[in-house]
Amino acid sequence: MSRASSHRVAVIGGDGIGPEVVAEALKVVAAAGVHLDTVPVELGAAHYLRSGEVLPDATLDELQGFDAILLGAIGPPVGSTEVPSGLLERGLLLRLRFALDLYVNLRPFTAAPGSVAAGADFVVVRENTEGTYAGEGGFLRKGTPHEIATQGSVNTRMGAERCARFALELAQRRDRHHLTLVHKTNVLTFAGDLWQRAVDEAGADFPDVTRDYNHVDAACIYMVEQATRYDVIVTDNLFGDILTDLAGAVTGGIGYAASANLNPARTGPSMFEPVHGAAHDIAGTGRANPLAAIRSAALMLEHLGEDDAAARVTKAVTDYTAGHQPGTPFPSTVAVGDAIAERV
Ligand code: IPM
Ligand code: MN
C-alpha cells in the first residue's frame, strides 16, 4: 500500500450513469489504500448544452498536466437531437485520444462463469489513433445526385509497429505468450499487408511469443464459439471497436468491460474508461453496473505503479463476478461498490 504517495487524477464523470459508476470506482480505490488527488472536470453532453463547449483548448491543456484521467461516460440520451451526431465523439473522445497520443486502447476480458465465452481470458490491443477513425476523407458534390463521400483508413508503419510491439510485450508477460493479429488482409491488401509485416518483423524480436492471424469475420465466429483460443489480440481501430463490443457481450455483458487508453511512452496522462456508454435510461435508478468502471480504475492503478492495489481490485471484481449468477440483477450500483470495497 502506498498511503504516502498521491496521484493527480482528473475525473470526468460525464453524462448519464457516468458519475454514478465513477463514484463507486473512486470508493474502491480509496478502500484499496491508494490516495488520489482528484479534480473534477466538467465535460460531456450536459456540459455542451449548458456552455456550448465541447473541449476548450484550455481544458485540454489542463488535462495534459495530470497523472491520469478517469472518465465515466459521455453522450446525450439515445434519440436526442440536441447534440449533433459525432460532435462529442470526434470533438471530445477522439480529440483526447489523438491529442494525448493514447495510441493503445487496451481492453481485457475475463469471461464470467456461465457466459457464452466461459473460461476465456484475453486482452484486445486496439490501435487507437489511426485507421478509419483518423478523419481522412470528405464530401464532393454534397447534396447533389452525384454526391461522393470517402472515408479513408490511415495506417502508418510507426502506428502499426508501436501497437504490435506493445501487444508482443504484453503477450511476453502473460502465461500463454500468444498473439493473434486480427485484420482483413485478403481484401484490405494495403493496410493488411502493412499490419502483417509490422507484426511479423516486430515478432522476430519476441521468439517466445507464438503468433497467429485471423480474418476479422472469422474472429467474430471464434469469439462466440471458441474465445478460449485467444490470449492477446492486436487489431486496427475500427475492427477493435467492433470486436470489443462482441467480446464484452460474450464474456458476461458490456457492464463488465473496462478499457485503458494508454500513452505507453508516458509523454502525458493516460485515460481510463468503461467501454459502455451513458445509459440515460437507467441513470439515477441504481441499476448501473459499476464493475466496468471499477475494473478501469484497476487498470489506472496499474499504470500509476500501484500494482498491488490494482491486483487486489481486479481479484475482488473477478471473485465477486464468479459468485454472481449471470442474468440475475445486481443489488444496486452502490451496493456493488460497497461489496468490492469490502473485499479489497
Ligand atoms: C468506444 C466507443 C467510441 C469508439 C465512440 C464513442 C467514439 O464506441 O470507446 O468503443 O468508437 O471508439
Ligand atoms: Mn465502441
Side-chain angles (χ1 to χ4, degrees), residues 125-142:
V125 175
R126 167 187 173 188
E127 200 291 321
N128 210 30
T129 57
E130 303 192 341
T132 44
Y133 278 66
E136 197 251 8
F139 287 108
L140 289 174
R141 308 181 193 134
K142 192 174 181 187

Side-chain angles (χ1 to χ4, degrees), residues 138-311:
F139 287 108
L140 289 174
R141 308 181 193 134
K142 192 174 181 187
T144 75
H146 302 286
E147 178 167 25
I148 297 166
T150 60
Q151 192 103 43
S153 175
V154 173
N155 299 266
T156 70
R157 176 62 196 239
M158 182 268 294
E161 190 170 327
R162 63 187 185 172
C163 276
R165 287 201 174 271
F166 182 94
L168 285 156
E169 276 162 22
L170 180 61
Q172 178 85 58
R173 286 198 305 275
R174 288 169 60 91
D175 295 341
R176 286 168 60 199
H177 306 308
H178 188 60
L179 177 70
T180 308
L181 168 64
V182 170
H183 210 281
K184 187 75 183 175
T185 54
N186 54 341
V187 174
L188 306 183
T189 49
F190 310 132
D193 185 70
L194 183 147
W195 269 92
Q196 184 75 69
R197 279 183 291 115
V199 170
D200 286 347
E201 285 168 33
D205 294 340
F206 296 82
D208 298 347
V209 177
T210 52
R211 296 197 307 277
D212 201 359
Y213 169 80
N214 290 163
H215 291 318
V216 65
D217 46 353
C220 291
I221 297 179
Y222 291 138
M223 197 55 85
V224 174
E225 295 190 344
Q226 201 198 355
T228 50
R229 71 191 281 127
Y230 294 123
D231 180 20
V232 178
I233 291 175
V234 66
T235 191
D236 88 350
N237 209 339
L238 182 59
F239 294 147
D241 177 48
I242 298 165
L243 207 58
T244 53
D245 264 24
L246 180 58
V250 297
T251 54
I254 202 76
Y256 296 90
S259 82
N261 296 267
L262 297 176
N263 172 336
R266 294 179 184 264
T267 55
S270 291
M271 181 167 80
F272 302 82
E273 56 168 332
V275 175
H276 63 68
H280 287 267
D281 52 333
I282 58 165
T285 66
R287 280 164 55 216
N289 181 353
L291 290 175
I294 294 171
R295 212 173 165 198
S296 301
L299 294 171
M300 176 176 79
L301 291 176
E302 203 180 317
H303 186 74
L304 293 172
E306 301 284 356
D307 292 357
D308 176 60

